[in-house]
Amino acid sequence: MSESHVSGLAPYASRPERSRGRRHAEPEAAGESAFQRDRDRVIHSTGFRRLAYKTQVFLNHEGDLFRTRMTHSLEVAQLARRLARALRLHEDLCETIALAHDLGHTPFGHTGQHALDDCVRGVAPDSVGFEHNAQSLRVVDHLEECGLAFDGLNLSFETREGILKHCSHRHALALVAQEPGGVAERFLRRTQPSLEAQLCNLADELAYNAHDIDDGMRAGLLSYEALRELPLFERFHREVLAQHPTAQGKRLLGAVIDRMLSQQVDDLIAQSTARIAAHCPQDCDDIAQAPALIACGDEGAAAVLQLKAHLRQHLYQHPRVAAANDVVRQVVRELFEAYLHAPAQMPTSHAVRLPVWAAVTDYIAGMTDRYALREHERLIGGQLARQLPSQLLSF
Ligand code: MG
């Protein structure tokens, strides 16, 4: 990062030299800030490479042009940097949080997560269950094997705080018991995380709303005419056609999505700037005590809600989803059972962990879509994966 950017940071921005530190003390590297070092560790992790073969919405094998968790994370990182620059927040921290935010996702998207959660609750009813945000933190804190002296990536507090963007009360209690005063404490105290963490949370949402329209159209599951019933979409559809009357097909769609996203970004910057000015935070401690300061305006938030409802009804709950989700749930359920009864089928590093159900959970959560399907075929047979209809999705 250039010096000019560092000196241009807002007083309430996160700063690596004021980091609350790492779980295991280690000397910081010369010529590289703590946040840059975190980013390097995330990019070189095995969890990050797996994102290339994990479902975002469309199952990974369906087509080369659909988003995966990897390309989604890169799009979130790009948006987060753009927003951070405009709001004078720390770009490297935003990029790092964005790149790491989905590391805990299971194969097969949200359906995979819910199936795994059901399995965990079935065998360990007193456990906190499975939740992908907590799992993302678990990946960087415990599961990655890169350090000689510690488990995990040993990231800084600020990156870890951003990764744990949501957390249920029961997960927060469990995490705080392990790490008093740690990154889950804010969910019990109801304080806010850094503005960089708040920003990444919204960048995630803006990114997937935009790219799910694109992917949904590409898959032939969304209708352009139905999208025009959304006032936000219709406004930019008309604007593009007024300036480019012959625009059509994917160029028209691309231009409309691009303008929608730009408008949402501009709105987020303007509204957040106004909220920050109204609360006058002097430093990070003030940010924690203030309400959420990174936010869209009421009008923008209402438009996003309409868009999300449209995507839920027409894309995520599309009739073709149901068949795929049934298959995917069965894959996860049968894999869980198989490893639970034969832990030696897992690599030794997992098989030796106790309790077995927790080891199985970590192992399945880390799988890519295609690895899970291959393992299912190896352990269960029956070629369930081949029942997956072509061009389906999972959510
Ligand atoms: Mg995401």
Side-chain angles (χ1 to χ4, degrees):
M1 187 199 306
S2 69
E3 280 303 308
S4 62
H5 171 70
V6 173
S7 60
L9 277 179
Y12 40 80
S14 298
R15 283 175 165 73
E17 65 275 15
R18 292 188 205 152
S19 171
R20 290 175 63 182
R22 303 177 186 277
R23 292 174 73 237
H24 309 280
E26 53 177 316
E28 289 302 332
E32 190 179 46
S33 79
F35 301 155
Q36 289 170 332
R37 199 175 193 194
D38 285 356
R39 179 190 56 203
D40 295 352
R41 289 181 178 183
V42 168
I43 287 178
H44 288 95
S45 69
T46 54
F48 187 70
R49 288 196 291 284
R50 289 193 185 118
L51 296 179
Y53 302 100
K54 287 197 181 198
T55 289
Q56 177 64 27
V57 172
F58 291 82
L59 292 184
N60 187 258
H61 64 275
E62 291 176 79
D64 292 347
L65 295 180
F66 294 117
R67 269 73 174 184
T68 64
R69 290 258 165 230
M70 169 76 81
T71 61
H72 162 70
S73 299
L74 294 173
E75 290 185 30
V76 177
Q78 177 266 329
L79 258 182
R81 285 200 84 121
R82 178 173 163 193
L83 291 164
R85 220 162 19 244
L87 293 168
R88 299 195 296 132
L89 300 176
H90 206 290
E91 283 185 50
D92 289 336
L93 177 58
C94 286
E95 182 180 25
T96 308
I97 294 170
L99 293 175
H101 84 283
D102 271 354
L103 285 176
H105 264 290
T106 61
F108 313 126
H110 288 263
T111 305
Q113 167 182 285
H114 292 140
L116 193 53
D117 184 45
D118 288 345
C119 292
V120 173
R121 288 164 185 273
V123 296
D126 295 333
S127 76
V128 292
F130 181 86
E131 201 269 324
H132 74 263
N133 289 295
Q135 188 70 10
S136 294
L137 189 65
R138 186 163 164 72
V139 168
V140 300
D141 281 355
H142 300 287
L143 299 179
E144 280 292 330
E145 298 172 300
C146 75
L148 294 171
F150 47 77
D151 286 337
L153 302 177
N154 200 28
L155 303 181
S156 61
F157 180 96
E158 293 72 17
T159 299
R160 296 173 59 240
E161 176 187 63
I163 289 173
L164 192 65
K165 59 180 187 167
H166 301 295
C167 187
S168 65
H169 188 73
R170 63 179 194 282
H171 270 101
L173 286 172
L175 287 166
V176 168
Q178 288 168 25
E179 186 190 3
V183 291
E185 185 109 347
R186 71 182 174 89
F187 295 99
L188 303 181
R189 291 179 181 266
R190 299 183 183 280
T191 55
Q192 295 296 327
S194 71
L195 291 185
E196 286 82 358
Q198 295 181 35
L199 183 160
C200 286
N201 197 7
L202 283 161
D204 184 24
E205 192 173 323
L206 293 188
Y208 66 67
N209 283 335
H211 65 49
D212 286 357
I213 298 176
D214 189 41
D215 279 355
M217 286 293 297
R218 178 170 290 111
L221 297 177
L222 289 179
S223 141
Y224 193 90
E225 289 311 307
L227 283 166
R228 287 187 56 195
E229 291 165 15
L230 294 167
L232 183 67
F233 192 91
E234 176 66 5
R235 173 182 155 194
F236 291 108
H237 165 77
R238 286 173 183 270
E239 189 184 286
V240 173
L241 281 186
Q243 292 168 8
H244 305 276
T246 60
Q248 58 178 317
K250 66 182 176 188
R251 291 181 195 231
L252 172 60
L253 176 69
V256 173
I257 293 173
D258 191 46
R259 287 175 191 221
M260 269 177 57
L261 189 55
S262 289
Q263 189 270 337
Q264 290 174 305
V265 165
D266 291 346
D267 177 52
L268 189 67
I269 293 168
Q271 295 291 336
S272 303
T273 302
R275 280 172 183 246
I276 291 168
H279 282 85
C280 266
Q282 299 301 306
D283 54 28
C284 291
D285 293 338
D286 289 349
I287 297 296
Q289 302 304 326
L293 297 180
I294 306 291
C296 306
D298 292 343
E299 205 180 316
V304 167
L305 278 181
Q306 279 184 329
L307 174 57
K308 285 164 97 79
H310 187 94
L311 289 171
R312 195 176 319 115
Q313 183 186 350
H314 298 281
L315 185 62
Y316 311 143
Q317 296 178 350
H318 191 283
R320 275 153 66 184
V321 175
N325 284 353
D326 286 347
V327 173
V328 158
R329 264 191 290 273
Q330 191 179 343
V331 167
V332 171
R333 202 167 50 234
E334 291 182 351
L335 275 179
F336 193 90
E337 289 289 316
Y339 294 124
L340 197 62
H341 294 114
Q345 293 293 338
M346 295 188 289
T348 316
S349 56
H350 286 273
V352 296
R353 287 196 175 130
L354 291 172
V356 175
W357 63 263
V360 172
T361 304
D362 285 336
Y363 187 46
I364 293 178
M367 290 180 179
T368 62
D369 293 10
R370 60 183 189 173
Y371 185 73
L373 293 172
R374 272 207 304 267
E375 278 293 275
H376 187 272
E377 195 159 335
R378 179 177 78 84
L379 295 167
I380 318 289
Q383 302 186 329
L384 186 61
R386 297 190 190 167
Q387 292 174 26
L388 286 170
S390 63
Q391 210 181 61
L392 44 75
L393 37 83
S394 171
F395 194 79

